[in-house]
Amino acid sequence: MNAMGNQGFEAVNQASNPLEREGASQDNGRLPIGIVLEISGAGSQIALDLQRLNDCMEDEDRSIALAGQVGSQIKIRVGDAWLLANVRDQRKDRRAENGIIAHIDFLGEGSEERLTGRIHGFKRGVTRYPVPGAMVYPATTKDLEQIYASDGRANITIGTVFPTRDIRAGLYIDAMLGKHFALLGSTGTGKSTSAALILHRICEHAPEGHIVMIDPHGEYSAAFRQTGKILDVSNLQMPYWLMNFEEHCEVLLTSDGNERQVDMDILAKCLLHARSKNRLAESMGKITVDSPIPYLLSDLSTKLQDEMGKLDKATSSAPYMRIKGKLDELKADPRYQFMFSGMLVGDTMTHFISKVFRMPGEGKPISIIDVSGVPSDITSTVVAVLSRLVFDFAIWGREENTRPILLVCEEAHRYVPNEKNSDGSSVGSILSRIAKEGRKYGISLGLITQRPSDLAEGVLSQCGTIISMRLNNDRDQAFVRSAMPEGSRGFLDSIPALRNRECIVCGEGVAIPIRVTFDNLEEHKRPASEDPSFSELWNRGGGEEELVERTVLRWRSQG
């Protein structure tokens, strides 16, 4: 190794002799900075010349100036082609005075332009490997322009490629949405604004799209007021009868263990009877307890009462009382009126689906479902119903021209938790099913979370494109590292060092893994997720009594 390292530096120095060194600042891109020491399938080991790296640091081209540093790109000549690689790590070579040993991950290869020596026709993957002793060169901005240039597929631009100032970073829409995507980042890294930016770009590119976003904190209403339909408890009007049997059980049954099975049998019998009384059911012949047929809550209540009246003295009426009590509670509580109102008994399924799925979109391709006002005990059921409607609509619409739907889930770890945090709710199983099977039916899933390690195992690995902002937690970093493709390992190591509004993108949506600085988003397109300024707000006074009175009034009237 010692001999290999010293010979390598002699070769590098011969290639950049003193005459050439005088013009090095103008021509650093054409001079080698190191030599290949060792080759393996995914990556290799190279030796870098510290003197050459110092020469490059003074270059005006930012890509050359960062050559050889962790996270930068270098190129290696193989015959008449260039091989592009990413520098994963560096350490001092103790046996060579000016030596640095680095591991690299291969990204792809391209042909060489005869006149300029630059890369063109870049493709991911490697067909020919270099041999030990091959020279290593810095990748220039002109090279990177060719590599990151769109290959003609439909794409949206979201920012600039690091370390350049002007190369645009694009995401291939069909590849990104066709195989799901995940946006990850610790709180405070600009995750919500970045999500809004990506969705705005998609809406601009596809004004007749169908995007449904589950917004648990009411952040995105401000961002999409002009380009989307905002639905919350005041105007969602989600009919209770759209729930399937499993979702009815979640809402109406309070028991567990053996008692729960008894309650489920009773509810199934009474619910099927209530659904059967609708004229629709009569015209359809055979229906099941899951069929989305409207029914009257009073019919369900009456059937429970009748069944209870048939009991002999020895049989307990407790299960009937439990279900009927919960049903009466839901009907009487004003917080549940958006779903359990007597006004929602009409057959509004077609209208509801058209409204939520933006069919037709009327120039507003995204619907923001603000569930922040939904009572917490049924939030997951509401999200489950909406997610299942997306899936069922796609399955039963297979005979029609496909209308792809993008379902975006903010705070995804709440709805698809891992086994340790799982409560067995229906929302976890339907979102997991969409992640595994959705793309066959034209459903795309977008997951946004600050705790990827709390997500269900397997769901993140179903996401073909991963957009990772800074993650501060070791467990989260390790979880993302295990889900990302092998060639992006060098990029992953820089995740803890990312600045706000910076991310690593890898997977299907990009040609090769890239580090991106997101564009600035106009004020009126940003979500309302800014942290309050304590120092500023605590230096202002006045109006507190009226503020408390108004808050208490809203609190008592539940909104």
Side-chain angles (χ1 to χ4, degrees):
M1 183 75 153
N2 188 6
M4 173 71 84
N6 288 331
Q7 284 168 15
F9 293 128
E10 282 170 27
V12 172
N13 287 326
Q14 282 167 15
S16 49
N17 62 45
L19 288 174
E20 284 179 306
R21 273 186 189 276
E22 287 176 18
S25 59
Q26 284 81 35
D27 214 3
N28 276 316
R30 289 174 178 264
L31 302 176
I33 55 170
I35 193 168
V36 174
L37 295 179
E38 197 177 281
I39 292 288
S40 63
S44 296
Q45 197 177 61
I46 60 172
L48 296 169
D49 181 359
L50 185 59
Q51 180 58 51
R52 283 292 298 122
L53 295 189
N54 289 335
D55 290 344
C56 288
M57 280 181 194
E58 295 165 19
D59 202 283
E60 292 173 5
D61 185 329
R62 285 190 74 187
S63 303
I64 295 175
L66 289 172
Q69 295 187 23
V70 173
S72 68
Q73 283 79 46
I74 53 98
K75 61 185 184 183
I76 303 164
R77 190 191 297 281
V78 183
D80 58 351
W82 285 111
L83 196 60
L84 192 80
N86 187 65
V87 179
R88 192 197 313 165
D89 56 28
Q90 285 183 345
R91 64 180 168 83
K92 180 84 175 73
D93 184 356
R94 292 190 296 271
R95 288 161 291 208
E97 188 182 341
N98 268 355
I100 292 173
I101 302 294
H103 286 97
I104 56 172
D105 298 307
F106 295 127
L107 299 172
E109 61 191 7
S111 307
E112 181 184 14
E113 279 184 2
R114 289 249 173 113
L115 292 173
T116 61
R118 292 183 206 133
I119 297 175
H120 75 99
F122 182 81
K123 287 187 174 65
R124 186 189 259 172
V126 181
T127 52
R128 289 171 65 192
Y129 286 95
V131 294
M135 291 295 174
V136 174
Y137 295 82
T140 67
T141 297
K142 295 288 184 190
D143 289 330
L144 297 183
E145 275 175 9
Q146 289 288 325
I147 290 158
Y148 296 123
S150 168
D151 59 10
R153 288 183 284 169
N155 65 87
I156 53 167
T157 54
I158 56 168
T160 49
V161 176
F162 177 88
T164 68
R165 289 191 179 90
D166 49 10
I167 297 180
R168 302 294 289 150
L171 296 173
Y172 295 118
I173 287 196
D174 292 337
M176 180 175 91
L177 300 186
K179 295 185 180 171
H180 313 314
F181 71 93
L183 173 59
L184 319 169
S186 295
T187 305
T189 55
K191 191 169 71 281
S192 302
T193 309
S194 304
L197 171 73
I198 292 168
L199 291 174
H200 273 300
R201 295 282 199 267
I202 292 173
C203 290
E204 288 161 15
H205 180 85
E208 294 298 318
H210 310 288
I211 305 170
V212 181
M213 177 166 207
I214 309 293
D215 177 12
H217 302 303
E219 294 176 330
Y220 292 88
S221 303
F224 291 94
R225 209 166 289 287
Q226 294 172 11
T227 53
K229 179 85 173 170
I230 313 300
L231 299 168
D232 56 21
V233 288
S234 68
N235 64 348
L236 183 59
Q237 293 178 306
M238 182 168 138
Y240 56 86
W241 48 264
L242 280 177
M243 292 190 293
N244 65 14
F245 179 59
E246 185 184 359
E247 289 147 7
H248 269 90
C249 291
E250 279 185 13
V251 173
L252 292 171
L253 304 189
T254 53
S255 53
D256 47 31
N258 292 337
E259 283 184 348
R260 189 173 182 84
Q261 190 55 54
V262 174
D263 291 5
M264 284 171 74
D265 294 342
I266 292 167
L267 179 59
K269 184 179 179 181
C270 297
L271 181 59
L272 186 59
H273 172 83
R275 287 202 199 273
S276 302
K277 292 192 76 171
N278 191 293
R279 280 185 201 158
L280 260 175
E282 290 171 16
S283 66
M284 294 177 79
K286 188 182 177 190
I287 65 162
T288 71
V289 74
D290 285 331
S291 301
I293 304 284
Y295 70 89
L296 291 167
L297 288 171
S298 55
D299 282 346
L300 180 59
S301 194
T302 305
K303 181 64 177 170
L304 283 163
Q305 192 74 43
D306 292 349
E307 289 292 313
M308 194 160 52
K310 291 179 189 173
L311 297 175
D312 55 43
K313 288 278 163 56
T315 315
S316 169
S317 62
Y320 298 90
M321 297 296 289
R322 277 197 297 266
I323 300 170
K324 193 169 181 307
K326 184 66 178 177
L327 190 60
D328 293 340
E329 180 192 316
L330 292 174
K331 283 159 69 177
D333 192 330
R335 295 176 304 154
Y336 296 89
Q337 287 299 292
F338 76 96
M339 192 171 177
F340 289 94
S341 163
M343 305 294 288
L344 295 173
V345 76
D347 183 10
T348 55
M349 187 171 178
T350 307
H351 171 72
F352 182 75
I353 283 176
S354 297
K355 177 175 73 173
V356 173
F357 295 174
R358 311 309 302 136
M359 292 181 182
E362 297 161 348
K364 294 187 171 184
I366 185 168
S367 62
I368 304 293
I369 316 288
D370 176 1
V371 294
S372 60
V374 173
S376 57
D377 55 336
I378 65 162
T379 304
S380 68
T381 308
V382 169
V383 176
V385 173
L386 292 164
S387 306
R388 185 180 51 77
L389 284 178
V390 172
F391 192 70
D392 286 353
F393 181 80
I395 285 181
W396 295 110
R398 279 176 295 180
E399 303 299 315
E400 308 292 330
N401 287 334
T402 306
R403 288 278 177 185
I405 298 172
L406 167 59
L407 176 64
V408 184
C409 220
E410 171 71 271
E411 297 276 344
H413 59 276
R414 283 170 48 171
Y415 304 121
V416 238
N418 56 23
E419 280 181 31
K420 192 174 72 174
N421 301 316
S422 176
D423 55 1
S425 64
S426 56
V427 67
S429 57
I430 185 60
L431 285 173
S432 293
R433 194 173 174 197
I434 288 174
K436 289 170 191 159
E437 303 171 31
R439 61 196 182 92
K440 299 175 196 167
Y441 305 109
I443 306 171
S444 178
L445 186 62
L447 301 176
I448 304 170
T449 178
Q450 69 262 33
R451 291 309 308 269
S453 59
D454 286 349
L455 271 177
E457 288 82 357
V459 171
L460 191 62
S461 59
Q462 295 289 338
C463 294
T465 305
I466 293 179
I467 304 165
S468 180
M469 304 182 78
R470 189 174 69 248
L471 290 165
N472 300 326
N473 184 289
D474 289 345
R475 260 179 60 232
D476 291 332
Q477 290 167 22
F479 193 78
V480 173
R481 196 172 278 117
S482 65
M484 280 194 174
E486 189 71 18
S488 49
R489 199 180 289 168
F491 288 90
L492 293 176
D493 292 338
S494 62
I495 283 177
L498 291 173
R499 294 174 295 189
N500 284 1
R501 295 183 45 256
E502 266 193 355
C503 71
I504 302 294
V505 189
C506 67
E508 301 293 331
V510 285
I512 59 170
I514 48 173
R515 179 171 168 177
V516 178
T517 304
F518 280 111
D519 288 339
N520 277 321
L521 196 57
E522 299 94 317
E523 194 71 43
H524 68 278
K525 290 184 176 179
R526 289 181 197 169
S529 56
E530 294 292 311
D531 294 330
S533 167
F534 286 80
S535 57
E536 185 183 329
L537 295 172
W538 282 359
N539 276 299
R540 270 194 252 150
E544 280 94 343
E545 286 179 13
E546 295 85 352
L547 180 148
V548 173
E549 280 176 17
R550 288 195 302 272
T551 303
V552 168
L553 183 65
R554 280 197 298 274
W555 194 342
R556 281 181 175 154
S557 64
Q558 295 294 306

